[in-house]
Amino acid sequence: MIEARAAVIAALRDSKSDLDVLARVIRACVGLLPVDGASISVLSGPRERETLYASDVIAMKIENVQFDLGEGPCFEAFATRRPVLVPDLPQASVLAWPVFAAAIAALPVGAIFAFPLQAGAIGIGAIDLYRRRPGWLSADELAVALEVVDVVTAVLLGVLLGEFDGADGLRGVLSPGREQVHQATGMVLAALGISAEEALSRLRGYAFATGRPLDEVAKDIVNRELSPLELRA
């Protein structure tokens, strides 16, 4: 798993923009796993989705069909917050997503593996991986995929919250303390019904007002020693 994280981090070193960051992460993911393509989307519901990057025409077509129909493995992974592993897409999708199955029947897609991107209570989006031939990911390959998803989630959340600035900012985004800040942000978001940006702003404001480090405040919320309701304006 260390190798997977190192490979993704190495792919970020020459990134010059947020989009370039995501493109490099996806290309590294495809290179690490026995898949033929991948894509990243941010979602907030079946009709509210934006594809940030697709590795090829087929990956983009899969994304577009799911968006047009509001169904498919990407949306299921996002809604259930669980990986959706479909080793034989033509058979499985007929039962789970019949309209989606019909729409992509002509594409050379044998399997799809969709993973939710989430940090605590924050649901960000999903990653779709596809392969031309049917077949499972092995246990080791699945572990690598989950490791890559963790890195992508940390990077993407950092980008969305304005905390990621190319490869130089990756260490802070992936640090244990920063992960707790992300988790606490999700808990505040869920408790107060506000945006991720506002939740993080409340955390920072509380830390400043009480003269405490942000990481300490986040740790208290994660450990339920401080209620998110204490951060109400």
Side-chain angles (χ1 to χ4, degrees):
M1 302 318 100
I2 294 175
E3 292 80 2
R5 183 175 290 252
V8 174
I9 291 174
L12 300 173
R13 296 194 184 281
D14 297 327
S15 300
K16 298 179 181 179
S17 67
D18 292 349
L19 181 59
D20 191 40
V21 167
L22 297 173
R24 288 177 179 273
V25 167
I26 282 295
R27 287 196 292 268
C29 182
V30 173
L32 285 165
L33 296 167
V35 298
D36 295 297
S39 59
I40 295 179
S41 293
V42 292
L43 303 95
S44 57
R47 294 296 177 184
E48 299 176 4
R49 186 226 61 172
E50 180 180 357
T51 300
L52 299 182
Y53 182 79
S55 64
D56 54 53
V57 174
I58 295 174
M60 180 58 77
K61 179 64 175 178
I62 293 170
E63 289 293 305
N64 289 340
V65 169
Q66 290 185 92
F67 176 68
D68 290 345
L69 301 177
E71 71 170 41
C74 174
F75 287 115
E76 182 173 333
F78 178 75
T80 63
R81 301 199 172 197
R82 295 180 178 180
V84 176
L85 309 177
V86 189
D88 192 338
L89 185 65
Q91 291 187 12
S93 60
V94 169
L95 299 176
W97 319 288
V99 182
F100 172 75
I104 68 165
L107 295 179
V109 180
I112 286 183
F113 309 102
F115 299 86
L117 300 173
Q118 62 185 64
I122 303 176
I124 303 172
I127 290 181
D128 276 349
L129 311 176
Y130 85 86
R131 64 196 304 178
R132 293 174 179 269
R133 294 183 178 180
W136 279 102
L137 294 175
S138 70
D140 288 344
E141 291 162 353
L142 181 58
V144 169
L146 292 172
E147 178 68 16
V148 171
V149 167
D150 285 344
V151 175
V152 171
T153 300
V155 171
L156 185 54
L157 187 60
V159 169
L160 293 176
L161 297 179
E163 296 182 344
F164 183 80
D165 185 16
D168 291 339
L170 188 60
R171 185 183 302 276
V173 171
L174 295 177
S175 68
R178 189 57 58 207
E179 289 179 1
Q180 284 194 324
V181 171
H182 292 160
Q183 186 175 355
T185 299
M187 295 173 69
V188 173
L189 175 157
L192 303 183
I194 56 180
S195 68
E197 293 84 354
E198 177 63 19
L200 180 61
S201 178
R202 298 282 182 91
L203 279 169
R204 286 172 168 159
Y206 186 91
F208 179 80
T210 56
R212 301 177 61 200
L214 177 61
D215 290 353
E216 284 188 7
V217 174
K219 181 179 179 181
D220 284 352
I221 289 180
V222 171
N223 292 336
R224 303 191 184 281
E225 296 174 1
L226 174 66
S227 170
L229 298 179
E230 294 295 322
L231 277 65
R232 287 180 294 189

Coordinates of all heavy atoms in Angstrom, one line a residue, residues 34-101:
P34 N -5.2 -3.2 -13.0 CA -5.5 -3.9 -14.3 C -6.8 -3.3 -14.8 O -7.8 -4.1 -14.9 CB -5.6 -5.3 -13.9 CG -6.1 -5.3 -12.5 CD -5.4 -4.2 -11.8
V35 N -6.9 -2.0 -15.1 CA -8.1 -1.4 -15.6 C -7.7 -0.6 -16.9 O -6.5 -0.3 -17.1 CB -8.8 -0.5 -14.6 CG1 -9.3 -1.3 -13.4 CG2 -7.9 0.7 -14.2
D36 N -8.6 -0.3 -17.7 CA -8.3 0.4 -19.0 C -8.6 1.9 -18.9 O -8.2 2.6 -19.8 CB -9.1 -0.3 -20.1 CG -8.7 -1.7 -20.3 OD1 -7.5 -1.9 -20.7 OD2 -9.5 -2.6 -20.1
G37 N -9.4 2.3 -17.9 CA -9.7 3.7 -17.9 C -10.4 4.1 -16.6 O -10.8 3.2 -15.8
A38 N -10.5 5.4 -16.3 CA -11.1 5.8 -15.0 C -11.5 7.3 -15.2 O -11.2 8.0 -16.1 CB -10.0 5.7 -13.9
S39 N -12.4 7.7 -14.2 CA -12.9 9.0 -14.2 C -13.2 9.5 -12.7 O -13.4 8.6 -11.9 CB -14.1 9.2 -15.0 OG -15.1 8.3 -14.5
I40 N -13.2 10.8 -12.5 CA -13.5 11.3 -11.2 C -14.7 12.3 -11.4 O -14.7 13.1 -12.3 CB -12.3 12.1 -10.6 CG1 -11.2 11.2 -10.3 CG2 -12.8 12.9 -9.3 CD1 -10.0 12.0 -9.7
S41 N -15.7 12.2 -10.6 CA -16.8 13.1 -10.6 C -17.1 13.6 -9.2 O -16.9 12.8 -8.2 CB -18.1 12.4 -11.1 OG -17.9 12.1 -12.5
V42 N -17.6 14.8 -9.1 CA -18.1 15.3 -7.8 C -19.6 15.3 -8.0 O -20.2 15.6 -9.0 CB -17.6 16.7 -7.5 CG1 -16.1 16.7 -7.2 CG2 -17.8 17.7 -8.7
L43 N -20.3 14.9 -6.9 CA -21.8 14.8 -6.9 C -22.4 15.3 -5.7 O -21.8 15.4 -4.6 CB -22.2 13.3 -7.0 CG -21.6 12.4 -8.2 CD1 -20.4 11.7 -7.7 CD2 -22.7 11.4 -8.6
S44 N -23.6 15.8 -5.9 CA -24.5 16.1 -4.7 C -25.9 15.5 -4.9 O -26.7 15.6 -4.0 CB -24.6 17.6 -4.5 OG -25.1 18.2 -5.7
G45 N -26.1 14.7 -5.9 CA -27.3 14.0 -6.2 C -27.4 13.5 -7.6 O -26.5 13.7 -8.4
P46 N -28.4 12.8 -7.9 CA -28.5 12.1 -9.3 C -28.5 13.1 -10.4 O -28.0 12.8 -11.5 CB -29.9 11.4 -9.2 CG -30.1 11.2 -7.8 CD -29.6 12.4 -7.1
R47 N -28.9 14.3 -10.2 CA -28.9 15.3 -11.3 C -27.9 16.4 -11.0 O -27.9 17.5 -11.8 CB -30.3 15.9 -11.4 CG -31.4 14.9 -11.9 CD -31.1 14.4 -13.3 NE -32.0 13.4 -13.7 CZ -31.9 12.7 -14.9 NH1 -30.9 13.0 -15.7 NH2 -32.8 11.8 -15.2
E48 N -27.1 16.3 -10.1 CA -26.1 17.3 -9.7 C -24.7 16.7 -9.7 O -24.3 16.2 -8.6 CB -26.5 18.0 -8.4 CG -27.8 18.7 -8.5 CD -28.2 19.3 -7.1 OE1 -27.4 19.3 -6.2 OE2 -29.3 19.8 -7.0
R49 N -24.1 16.6 -10.8 CA -22.8 16.0 -10.9 C -21.9 16.6 -12.0 O -22.4 17.2 -13.0 CB -23.0 14.5 -11.3 CG -21.8 13.6 -11.4 CD -21.7 12.8 -12.6 NE -21.6 13.6 -13.8 CZ -21.4 13.2 -15.0 NH1 -21.3 11.9 -15.2 NH2 -21.3 14.0 -16.1
E50 N -20.6 16.7 -11.7 CA -19.7 17.2 -12.7 C -18.5 16.3 -12.8 O -17.9 15.9 -11.8 CB -19.2 18.6 -12.2 CG -18.2 19.3 -13.2 CD -17.8 20.6 -12.7 OE1 -18.3 21.1 -11.7 OE2 -16.9 21.2 -13.4
T51 N -18.2 15.9 -14.0 CA -17.0 15.1 -14.3 C -15.8 16.0 -14.3 O -15.7 17.0 -15.1 CB -17.1 14.4 -15.6 OG1 -18.3 13.5 -15.6 CG2 -15.9 13.5 -15.9
L52 N -14.9 15.8 -13.4 CA -13.7 16.6 -13.3 C -12.6 16.1 -14.3 O -11.8 16.9 -14.8 CB -13.1 16.5 -11.9 CG -14.0 17.1 -10.8 CD1 -13.3 17.0 -9.5 CD2 -14.4 18.5 -11.1
Y53 N -12.6 14.8 -14.5 CA -11.6 14.2 -15.4 C -12.0 12.8 -15.8 O -12.4 12.1 -15.0 CB -10.2 14.2 -14.8 CG -9.1 13.7 -15.7 CD1 -8.6 14.5 -16.7 CD2 -8.7 12.4 -15.7 CE1 -7.6 14.1 -17.6 CE2 -7.7 11.9 -16.6 CZ -7.2 12.7 -17.5 OH -6.2 12.3 -18.4
A54 N -11.8 12.5 -17.1 CA -12.0 11.1 -17.6 C -10.7 10.8 -18.4 O -10.2 11.6 -19.2 CB -13.2 11.0 -18.5
S55 N -10.2 9.6 -18.3 CA -9.0 9.2 -18.9 C -9.1 9.0 -20.4 O -8.1 9.1 -21.1 CB -8.4 7.9 -18.2 OG -9.3 6.8 -18.5
D56 N -10.3 8.7 -20.9 CA -10.4 8.4 -22.3 C -11.9 8.6 -22.7 O -12.8 8.9 -21.9 CB -10.0 7.0 -22.7 CG -10.6 5.9 -21.8 OD1 -11.9 5.9 -21.8 OD2 -9.9 5.1 -21.2
V57 N -12.2 8.4 -24.0 CA -13.5 8.6 -24.6 C -14.5 7.6 -23.9 O -15.6 8.0 -23.6 CB -13.5 8.4 -26.1 CG1 -14.9 8.5 -26.7 CG2 -12.6 9.4 -26.7
I58 N -14.1 6.4 -23.7 CA -15.1 5.4 -23.1 C -15.4 5.8 -21.7 O -16.6 5.8 -21.3 CB -14.5 4.0 -23.2 CG1 -14.3 3.5 -24.6 CG2 -15.4 3.0 -22.4 CD1 -13.6 2.2 -24.8
A59 N -14.4 6.2 -20.9 CA -14.7 6.6 -19.5 C -15.6 7.8 -19.5 O -16.5 7.9 -18.7 CB -13.4 7.0 -18.8
M60 N -15.4 8.7 -20.4 CA -16.3 9.9 -20.5 C -17.7 9.5 -20.9 O -18.7 10.0 -20.4 CB -15.7 10.9 -21.5 CG -16.6 12.2 -21.6 SD -16.9 13.0 -20.0 CE -15.3 13.8 -19.8
K61 N -17.8 8.6 -21.8 CA -19.1 8.1 -22.3 C -19.9 7.4 -21.1 O -21.1 7.7 -20.9 CB -19.0 7.1 -23.4 CG -20.3 6.5 -24.0 CD -21.2 7.6 -24.6 CE -22.4 7.0 -25.2 NZ -23.3 8.0 -25.7
I62 N -19.2 6.6 -20.3 CA -19.8 6.0 -19.1 C -20.3 7.1 -18.2 O -21.4 7.0 -17.7 CB -18.8 5.1 -18.4 CG1 -18.4 3.9 -19.3 CG2 -19.3 4.6 -17.1 CD1 -17.3 3.1 -18.8
E63 N -19.5 8.1 -18.0 CA -19.9 9.2 -17.1 C -21.2 9.9 -17.7 O -22.1 10.2 -16.9 CB -18.8 10.2 -16.9 CG -17.6 9.7 -16.1 CD -18.1 9.5 -14.6 OE1 -18.6 10.4 -14.0 OE2 -17.9 8.4 -14.1
N64 N -21.1 10.2 -19.0 CA -22.2 11.0 -19.6 C -23.6 10.2 -19.5 O -24.6 10.8 -19.3 CB -21.9 11.3 -21.0 CG -20.8 12.4 -21.1 OD1 -20.6 13.1 -20.1 ND2 -20.2 12.5 -22.2
V65 N -23.5 8.9 -19.8 CA -24.7 8.1 -19.7 C -25.3 8.1 -18.3 O -26.5 8.2 -18.1 CB -24.4 6.7 -20.2 CG1 -25.6 5.7 -19.9 CG2 -24.1 6.7 -21.7
Q66 N -24.4 7.9 -17.3 CA -24.9 7.9 -16.0 C -25.6 9.2 -15.6 O -26.6 9.3 -14.9 CB -23.8 7.6 -15.0 CG -23.3 6.2 -15.1 CD -22.2 5.9 -14.0 OE1 -22.6 5.4 -12.9 NE2 -21.0 6.1 -14.3
F67 N -25.0 10.3 -16.0 CA -25.5 11.6 -15.7 C -26.9 11.8 -16.4 O -27.8 12.3 -15.8 CB -24.5 12.7 -16.2 CG -25.1 14.1 -16.0 CD1 -25.3 14.6 -14.7 CD2 -25.4 14.9 -17.0 CE1 -25.8 15.9 -14.5 CE2 -25.9 16.2 -16.9 CZ -26.1 16.7 -15.6
D68 N -26.9 11.4 -17.7 CA -28.2 11.6 -18.4 C -29.3 10.8 -17.8 O -30.5 11.3 -17.8 CB -28.0 11.2 -19.9 CG -27.1 12.1 -20.7 OD1 -26.8 13.2 -20.2 OD2 -26.6 11.7 -21.8
L69 N -29.0 9.6 -17.3 CA -30.0 8.7 -16.8 C -30.3 8.9 -15.3 O -31.3 8.5 -14.8 CB -29.7 7.3 -17.1 CG -29.5 7.0 -18.6 CD1 -29.1 5.5 -18.8 CD2 -30.9 7.2 -19.3
G70 N -29.3 9.4 -14.6 CA -29.4 9.4 -13.1 C -29.3 8.1 -12.4 O -29.8 7.9 -11.3
E71 N -28.7 7.1 -13.1 CA -28.5 5.8 -12.5 C -27.2 5.2 -13.0 O -26.6 5.6 -14.0 CB -29.6 4.9 -12.9 CG -29.7 4.4 -14.3 CD -30.7 3.3 -14.6 OE1 -31.8 3.4 -14.0 OE2 -30.3 2.4 -15.4
G72 N -26.7 4.2 -12.2 CA -25.4 3.5 -12.6 C -24.6 3.3 -11.4 O -24.9 3.8 -10.3
P73 N -23.4 2.6 -11.5 CA -22.6 2.3 -10.4 C -22.0 3.5 -9.7 O -21.8 3.5 -8.5 CB -21.5 1.5 -11.0 CG -21.5 1.8 -12.5 CD -22.9 2.1 -12.8
C74 N -21.7 4.6 -10.4 CA -21.2 5.8 -9.8 C -22.2 6.4 -8.8 O -21.8 6.7 -7.7 CB -20.9 6.8 -10.9 SG -20.4 8.5 -10.3
F75 N -23.4 6.5 -9.2 CA -24.4 7.1 -8.3 C -24.7 6.1 -7.1 O -25.0 6.6 -6.0 CB -25.7 7.4 -9.1 CG -25.6 8.6 -10.0 CD1 -25.7 8.5 -11.3 CD2 -25.5 9.8 -9.4 CE1 -25.6 9.6 -12.1 CE2 -25.4 10.9 -10.2 CZ -25.4 10.8 -11.6
E76 N -24.7 4.8 -7.4 CA -24.9 3.9 -6.3 C -23.8 3.9 -5.3 O -24.1 3.9 -4.1 CB -25.0 2.4 -6.9 CG -25.3 1.4 -5.8 CD -25.6 0.0 -6.3 OE1 -26.1 -0.1 -7.4 OE2 -25.4 -0.9 -5.6
A77 N -22.6 4.0 -5.7 CA -21.5 4.1 -4.8 C -21.6 5.4 -4.0 O -21.4 5.4 -2.7 CB -20.1 4.1 -5.5
F78 N -22.0 6.5 -4.6 CA -22.1 7.8 -3.9 C -23.3 7.7 -2.9 O -23.1 8.1 -1.7 CB -22.4 8.9 -4.9 CG -22.6 10.2 -4.2 CD1 -21.5 11.0 -3.7 CD2 -23.8 10.8 -4.2 CE1 -21.7 12.2 -3.1 CE2 -24.0 12.0 -3.6 CZ -23.0 12.7 -3.1
A79 N -24.4 7.1 -3.3 CA -25.6 7.1 -2.4 C -25.4 6.1 -1.2 O -25.8 6.4 -0.1 CB -26.8 6.7 -3.2
T80 N -24.7 5.0 -1.5 CA -24.6 4.0 -0.4 C -23.3 4.1 0.4 O -23.2 3.5 1.4 CB -24.6 2.5 -1.0 OG1 -23.4 2.4 -1.9 CG2 -25.9 2.3 -1.8
R81 N -22.4 5.0 -0.1 CA -21.1 5.2 0.5 C -20.3 3.9 0.6 O -19.6 3.7 1.6 CB -21.2 5.9 1.8 CG -21.9 7.2 1.7 CD -21.7 8.1 2.9 NE -22.2 9.4 2.7 CZ -21.8 10.5 3.4 NH1 -21.0 10.4 4.4 NH2 -22.3 11.7 3.1
R82 N -20.5 3.0 -0.4 CA -19.8 1.7 -0.4 C -19.3 1.5 -1.8 O -19.9 1.9 -2.8 CB -20.7 0.6 0.0 CG -21.2 0.7 1.5 CD -22.1 -0.5 1.7 NE -22.5 -0.5 3.1 CZ -23.3 -1.5 3.7 NH1 -23.8 -2.5 2.9 NH2 -23.7 -1.4 4.9
P83 N -18.2 0.8 -2.0 CA -17.7 0.4 -3.3 C -18.8 -0.4 -4.0 O -19.4 -1.2 -3.4 CB -16.4 -0.4 -3.0 CG -16.0 0.1 -1.7 CD -17.2 0.3 -0.9
V84 N -18.9 -0.2 -5.3 CA -19.8 -1.0 -6.1 C -18.9 -1.7 -7.1 O -18.3 -1.1 -8.0 CB -20.8 -0.1 -6.9 CG1 -21.7 -1.0 -7.8 CG2 -21.7 0.6 -5.9
L85 N -18.7 -3.0 -6.9 CA -17.8 -3.8 -7.7 C -18.6 -4.7 -8.7 O -19.4 -5.6 -8.2 CB -17.0 -4.7 -6.8 CG -16.3 -3.9 -5.6 CD1 -15.5 -4.9 -4.7 CD2 -15.4 -2.8 -6.2
V86 N -18.5 -4.5 -9.9 CA -19.3 -5.2 -10.9 C -18.3 -5.9 -11.9 O -17.9 -5.3 -12.9 CB -20.2 -4.2 -11.7 CG1 -21.1 -5.0 -12.6 CG2 -20.9 -3.3 -10.8
P87 N -17.9 -7.1 -11.6 CA -16.9 -7.8 -12.4 C -17.5 -8.3 -13.8 O -16.7 -8.5 -14.7 CB -16.6 -9.0 -11.6 CG -17.8 -9.3 -10.8 CD -18.3 -7.9 -10.5
D88 N -18.8 -8.4 -13.9 CA -19.4 -8.8 -15.2 C -20.6 -7.8 -15.5 O -21.7 -8.1 -15.2 CB -19.9 -10.2 -15.1 CG -20.3 -10.8 -16.5 OD1 -20.6 -9.9 -17.4 OD2 -20.4 -12.0 -16.7
L89 N -20.2 -6.7 -16.1 CA -21.2 -5.6 -16.2 C -22.4 -6.0 -17.1 O -23.5 -5.6 -16.7 CB -20.5 -4.4 -16.8 CG -21.3 -3.1 -16.9 CD1 -21.7 -2.6 -15.6 CD2 -20.6 -2.0 -17.7
P90 N -22.2 -6.6 -18.2 CA -23.4 -6.9 -19.0 C -24.5 -7.7 -18.3 O -25.7 -7.5 -18.5 CB -22.9 -7.8 -20.2 CG -21.4 -7.3 -20.3 CD -21.0 -7.1 -18.9
Q91 N -24.1 -8.6 -17.4 CA -25.1 -9.4 -16.6 C -25.7 -8.6 -15.4 O -26.9 -8.5 -15.2 CB -24.5 -10.7 -16.1 CG -24.2 -11.7 -17.2 CD -23.8 -13.0 -16.7 OE1 -23.9 -13.3 -15.5 NE2 -23.3 -13.9 -17.6
A92 N -24.7 -8.0 -14.6 CA -25.2 -7.3 -13.4 C -26.0 -6.1 -13.7 O -27.0 -5.8 -13.0 CB -23.9 -7.0 -12.6
S93 N -25.6 -5.3 -14.6 CA -26.3 -4.0 -14.9 C -27.7 -4.2 -15.4 O -28.5 -3.3 -15.2 CB -25.4 -3.1 -15.8 OG -25.3 -3.8 -17.1
V94 N -27.9 -5.3 -16.0 CA -29.3 -5.6 -16.5 C -30.3 -5.6 -15.3 O -31.4 -5.2 -15.4 CB -29.4 -6.9 -17.3 CG1 -30.8 -7.3 -17.6 CG2 -28.6 -6.7 -18.6
L95 N -29.8 -6.2 -14.2 CA -30.6 -6.3 -13.0 C -30.7 -5.0 -12.2 O -31.7 -4.5 -11.8 CB -30.1 -7.4 -12.2 CG -30.2 -8.8 -12.8 CD1 -29.6 -9.9 -11.9 CD2 -31.6 -9.2 -13.2
A96 N -29.5 -4.4 -12.0 CA -29.4 -3.2 -11.2 C -29.7 -1.9 -11.9 O -30.4 -1.1 -11.3 CB -28.0 -3.1 -10.6
W97 N -29.3 -1.8 -13.1 CA -29.5 -0.5 -13.8 C -29.9 -0.9 -15.3 O -29.1 -0.7 -16.2 CB -28.2 0.3 -13.8 CG -27.5 0.3 -12.5 CD1 -27.9 1.0 -11.3 CD2 -26.3 -0.3 -12.2 NE1 -27.0 0.7 -10.3 CE2 -26.0 -0.1 -10.8 CE3 -25.4 -1.1 -12.9 CZ2 -24.9 -0.6 -10.2 CZ3 -24.3 -1.6 -12.3 CH2 -24.0 -1.3 -11.0
P98 N -31.1 -1.3 -15.5 CA -31.5 -1.8 -16.8 C -31.4 -0.7 -18.0 O -31.0 -1.1 -19.1 CB -32.9 -2.2 -16.6 CG -33.4 -1.5 -15.4 CD -32.2 -1.4 -14.5
V99 N -31.7 0.5 -17.7 CA -31.6 1.5 -18.7 C -30.2 1.9 -19.0 O -29.8 2.0 -20.2 CB -32.4 2.8 -18.3 CG1 -32.3 3.8 -19.4 CG2 -33.9 2.5 -17.9
F100 N -29.4 2.0 -17.9 CA -27.9 2.2 -18.1 C -27.3 1.1 -18.9 O -26.5 1.3 -19.8 CB -27.3 2.3 -16.7 CG -25.8 2.3 -16.8 CD1 -25.1 3.5 -17.1 CD2 -25.0 1.2 -16.4 CE1 -23.7 3.5 -17.1 CE2 -23.7 1.2 -16.4 CZ -23.0 2.4 -16.8
A101 N -27.7 -0.2 -18.6 CA -27.2 -1.4 -19.3 C -27.4 -1.3 -20.8 O -26.6 -1.5 -21.6 CB -27.8 -2.6 -18.7

